[in-house]
Amino acid sequence: MAAMEVGNDVQEQCVELLNEAALLTDDVKKVANLKKVQELIIHQDPALLDNFLDEVVAFQSDTNAEVRRAVLGFIEEACRKDHEMVPKVVANLSLLLQDSFSVAVVKRTIQAIGNIYKITLQWLSQARSVTDLMDSAWSMLGQMKRQIISYVDHDNDGVRTMAVKFMEMVVLLQTYSEPGSLKRQEFCLDGVPMTLKIARPRKLEEEARTVFAEMIKFHGSPHISSVNLMACMGSLTLIARCRPSFIGQVISALESLHANLPPTLSKSQVNSVRKHMKMQLLNLLKHPASYDSHRNICTLLTDLGASQSEVARAMPPAEELRKRQRRTEEPPGAADDDTPGTKRQKFVPEDDDDDDEEVPAGRVASGARLAPVDKMKHKLNAIDITETWAAERLTPQLAADLVLVSMQHLPDAPPALFSNTFTPISAAGTRSQIQHVARLLAAQLTKAGLGPGVEATRNQGIQMTDHDWEMEDEEEAPAGSRRPIATVLSGTVTGREAKKKVALLPSGQMHKKHMAKPLRLTEITRPLPKDELEKSMTAALDRLLAAEKPARVGGLFSVRAKLLAMMSAHFTPQLLDKMLVHILEDMRGRADLVFSWLYEEYCNSVGFSNFGQVMRSTANYEQIFCMLISALMVRPDFKDGEILLTRLFLEAPVVPASAVDILKGFSSDPATYQLGLQLFGQLLSGRPGRQASYVPALLQLATGAAQEIRDRALELVLQLHQSSATLATLVEQHAVERLKWLGEETPPAQLVTDQQSTVPEGVTREWTDELAKLCLHLYLALLPRRESLIHELAHVYVLTTADVKRTILRVLEAPIRGMGMESPELLTLVETCPKGAETLITRVIHILTDKTPPSVELVDRVRDLYQKRVSDVRFLIPVLNGLNKSEVIAALPKLIRLNPVVVKEVFNRLLGIHADTGNFSSPLTPVELLVALHNIDPAKCDMKTIIKATSLCFAEKQVYTQEVLAVVLQQLMEQDPLPVLLMRTVIQSLALYNRLIGLVMNILTRLASRQVWTEKKVWEGFIKCCQRTKPSSYQVLLQLPVDPLREVFDTAPELRAQLRDYVNGFTASQREHLPADVFELITGRKPGEEPQRVSPPPAPEPAAEPPPRLPRARNRKRSKRHPPSSGAADAPMKAIDY
Amino acid sequence: MKSMGRSKKSFTVQSFGTGDKVKLPGSAPNKPNIYDFGTTYEHIYRDLQEKDRSLYTQNGLLHMLDRNRRIKPGPQRLQECSDKFDVVISCEERVYDQILEMFESREPVDNTPVHVINIDIQDNHEEATIGAFLICDLCTQLEDSQDLEDDIDELLQEFESKAKRQVLHCVQFY
């Protein structure tokens, strides 16, 4: 009974207080009344909560912010007291969160929602079953959660602070507690069962990480206010202390903050922030889990000015550290057996979609908890990686360079912050200091998004987007059975959803207040009429264009450029012209604008524009690019334009095909080709990926008529040809195609138009030297690089007209020489010479052997060709020196029959005339050659030709010296039978070299002893020789037997008288040596007889030698054995022309 | 050794110590008078009166204790106080550090923000008087602000430049 009375009492009091409050105008009292009610209900009679909730909550529409805040306090307490209240108030919270009149209310709401969110999750986890009501409340809270998290970008500093705290709460709530955590009795993910369908722990944890990443991002944002920064720092440290797996990330965030304090902070704010950071770090240091990061923390602390003793005091006792170390070394599952772990084990078997199902439960628990640590390790490595990278490179040299480079950026006076915090570096140059500097640099680099660390972790960055949120919702909802909750705000409750879902309406709202909808620009705006739109745009553009100077002065230059670029993307042609004129006025100064514009267009064209398509773009990227470059190309003041043009081609996002065409046109203009081709060159090296698209243009340039352009373009084409196999094929195809045009009867129209010469209709075009060369340039340039192309030429050559053939043969020299004799392709060509291409092959071989002796391979091929297929001896000429002796000798009859000029050439080759003496080697020595000539079978070659050939030899006095001829004569003389031309050669030699007389005499003597009279032709020559060599030949004549001598006298009667006179001058003893019949023949008397007419003996000739005795004696013997043959030679040796 | 507390100008204010003990100046710099927290002002007043009445009258200590004992029973320690403040002001960096340390060692429960501000004021009468006005001035401004959270940064900067004093500031949470 007593209880009832108390209850009634309380109820009455409450009614009274509330009624009073409703009428009160004094807000302070109103708040006091509400507080009293709250006190009464919550603490004295919670059963009344249900009755009065609506009444109290109704005050939320009170005009006074304090009253609304009091209501929030009540709501919070109510939910804390009775979880069932949550669904009843979530909608109210949602309304309060939108409170547009008082920021204080919003902040209080965030605070309340934080608590209620936590309470609700706990409630869900502990409830036996989840009702629709709970489900709705939870998802509505989820929505609010997202909204609050987005408030991190709110305009109000305090709201942002609260949002950060809220995020902290989310992170702590939605992660598992860890062994190293601060002892917190709070509810967290440990208490959420795996089976909770509407709030999957895995998802929650994932979300927590996303939120954490957001916090880190916020923490590092450059314009964060000092309050926010400190709040965020505090939250991060708290998270790190409660969830040690985040420690690494937090520390690197602090490091990066320390290296890049927001520039907006004032001096004292910097001090406060640094102090705060120091405090946070000391706190972290105390935490045993920070053991791994101690080095970094201590460095940071020293930087912040913490003394050694401070650091030492904050260090956990060494014992604990050791324990910690041990723990990390042991397998994690074995070491910790605290409650959270065991708690989770319970849930594992029930979880159907957990991947770790098969793994023993104990491992799962620890494994699941360690996984995030690994992840964190990855993340934190961005700075670590860069640090190692930087430390490796930080040599004194580099450090000095860095200092020098940065010297010019130093301000005149040290900034306050610097002088405040600077402490002289005591440990300069030591390893630890270098490491420290590296770390600082790494933090800066990472912050700036540079360095290997950033590269390595780039893909691991977590981005929280709305999309992610959506995904999450959808994933949670199997097969679309659940949709996002219908909200009062959006009012989009479809019938089906309404049935399925419990719509939560705000409590205490008897008369539904019209709440402000969030502003959606697209809903309330209507497109402008077209002409008005254009007018505004024109005006806006004019203003922007005019505002160049103010913008530059005001530091808004880049903003202006961006604006213009974004606008330009939607310009009409007139506006484009305006823009273009503007740019061309100052190309250098407005280059940045050009690029902003181009990039904007490019983004539009490829569809990643960040700017909604308000208007359809009127001109596409390609058009604009072409317009710009065309405009630049026609500028007379080219200097500035040139730079911009180059930049355009090299730095624009993409060079469209039509621009390449324009550039081609530009390059074929003799006035500008240098720049044009230079641009092509830069494109090739600067945009290697798109080389293929420049090939056609370059090929055309490379085959053009103007030589300078062509040469320069050819260089580029060759460069391309070398750079990749596919491009090479392309180039070669083109070259071969052009080459094949040569095979046509008249030049193809394409070639003529290429050359831009105007040929009147109907006139048949003729191949000219120029036209033919046009087809050949590219091909010939490629030839030394791609030798296999030579076969194409051979095939085409066969088809061409005589004029073209001549042209080809003329231009062939350089490339063939470039290919060289070793080229296997050339050898193959010689081997497989097509019919009709013999002249080509000959030319090729000639070119090859012009300066150098032929290689063995080449000789083999040519010999093969000569022997098996084309027996034209002219093939052999170039390779003569490569053939062997017998081959040359065999070919000689044919060779000397050729036209005299060619024969001369042959001899030159064989004798090495005009060749480099160094590497010349002939298969035949001069001696052998001449001997060979003498030995040519007269049946194969008529005598006259041979004589001509020998004459050629005699003409080469340099080669056929006296000594050489002597050897030749000697060799010839020893042959049997004697060569027909022997005596002719003797006489010729004698004519050339008088001093050979002795040898000649010797020869004659020996011939006499060899019964030369038996060989008619030689005998005839012998007599002639004797006639020419008298009086030296008298001695020889005297050695002849009588019959031959008679023949001599018959042929040359004058000899008889001369010889008689000579004999008459003999002494008696000398005469005795003469055979009687000879004597008689000469003198016409017996040896004993005195001459009828006494004439004085002729004075002995100075050159005449005393008659050799021995030969004579032999002669005599021989003459006895071989009676002289009678019968004069009736075959006159007319052919031999002495 | 104290967090701010003046109750005259209609602020809701409390004053606290942050150290382990209550320390008051003694006969020599190295001989301070030390009391435990929990000792009443009354007790201290009497104690000092007994020790050296003239000295402690001269240095104003007795006067201060007299004023204090009329406001509250004894010195309070901030760490032991469960009330929640919007702003805590300290006059010495060492105290500021202690306050921060205290907040850091606590676990925030409902995340109500509190601004901790330090203005260095030397512990002598002259400075204390100037300091009192400065702080009063600051508090008026803070009080007048519609949205303290949003304005505090700006207010403090203004205050700094006006008072030509360095201010430390930080936000903590209950």
Side-chain angles (χ1 to χ4, degrees), chain A residues 414-428:
Chain A
L417 168 64
F418 177 78
S419 32
N420 262 9
T421 57
F422 176 73
T423 46
I425 302 158
S426 54

Side-chain angles (χ1 to χ4, degrees), chain A residues 506-614:
Chain A
S507 311
Q509 304 290 303
M510 304 309 176
H511 43 93
K512 211 166 163 191
K513 228 172 106 185
H514 183 74
M515 290 299 293
K517 276 189 181 178
L519 183 68
R520 287 206 184 84
L521 200 60
T522 44
E523 282 177 12
I524 57 166
T525 49
R526 203 165 279 114
L528 282 172
K530 195 168 180 276
D531 51 343
E532 203 173 322
L533 183 70
E534 273 174 21
K535 221 185 331 175
S536 319
M537 273 187 95
T538 317
L541 178 66
D542 286 343
R543 280 193 297 277
L544 274 171
L545 291 183
E548 183 177 24
K549 212 166 184 184
R552 199 190 290 273
V553 173
L556 289 173
F557 200 60
S558 58
V559 178
R560 172 177 171 270
K562 191 164 186 188
L563 263 176
L564 276 175
M566 277 167 78
M567 281 178 71
S568 314
H570 306 289
F571 276 168
T572 56
Q574 298 94 307
L575 295 184
L576 282 179
D577 284 347
K578 223 171 226 189
M579 185 85 174
L580 190 64
V581 169
H582 176 73
I583 287 166
L584 291 180
E585 270 167 23
D586 174 12
M587 284 175 290
R588 198 193 313 224
R590 291 168 187 163
D592 288 345
L593 185 56
V594 174
F595 281 99
S596 309
W597 183 15
L598 271 180
Y599 271 88
E600 187 67 29
E601 282 293 352
Y602 180 70
C603 288
N604 282 340
S605 69
V606 294
F608 37 75
S609 168
N610 55 353
F611 185 55
Q613 290 292 77
V614 176

Side-chain angles (χ1 to χ4, degrees), chain A residues 1016-1029:
Chain A
K1016 268 180 225 153
K1017 285 176 188 171
V1018 183
W1019 176 234
E1020 217 167 305
F1022 182 88
I1023 299 173
K1024 279 233 155 90
C1025 188
C1026 288
Q1027 281 177 309
R1028 298 217 178 168
T1029 53

Side-chain angles (χ1 to χ4, degrees), chain A residues 757-798:
Chain A
S757 60
T758 44
V759 179
E761 269 315 302
V763 176
T764 41
R765 293 173 299 258
E766 292 290 328
W767 277 109
T768 62
D769 203 28
E770 278 69 38
L771 283 177
K773 276 183 180 167
L774 279 184
C775 298
L776 284 166
H777 284 302
L778 178 62
Y779 171 80
L780 293 178
L782 285 175
L783 202 49
R785 288 159 200 268
R786 189 52 61 98
E787 299 180 342
S788 56
L789 287 176
I790 189 76
H791 303 301
E792 289 293 343
L793 181 66
H795 293 304
V796 172
Y797 181 82
V798 176

Side-chain angles (χ1 to χ4, degrees), chain A residues 107 111 156-158 161-162 165 182 184 226-227 230 241 268-269 271-272 275-276 279-280 283, chain B residues 93 96-97 100 104 107 110-112 147 149-150 153 157 160 166-173:
Chain A
K107 287 189 276 187
Q111 207 177 327
N156 186 287
D157 214 60
T161 309
M162 293 313 295
K165 291 309 275 185
L182 286 185
R184 272 173 77 103
S226 77
V227 173
M230 285 188 282
R241 285 156 69 202
S268 65
Q269 282 173 338
N271 283 342
S272 305
K275 200 167 184 59
H276 194 76
M279 181 80 70
Q280 303 301 332
N283 271 330
Chain B
E93 197 170 331
Y96 176 80
D97 289 346
L100 293 197
E104 290 293 342
E107 300 274 331
D110 58 7
N111 287 337
T112 314
D147 183 356
E149 310 270 311
D150 209 23
D153 265 352
Q157 287 203 42
E160 270 190 330
Q166 288 270 322
V167 171
L168 290 173
H169 165 233
C170 159
V171 66
Q172 295 287 350
F173 298 88

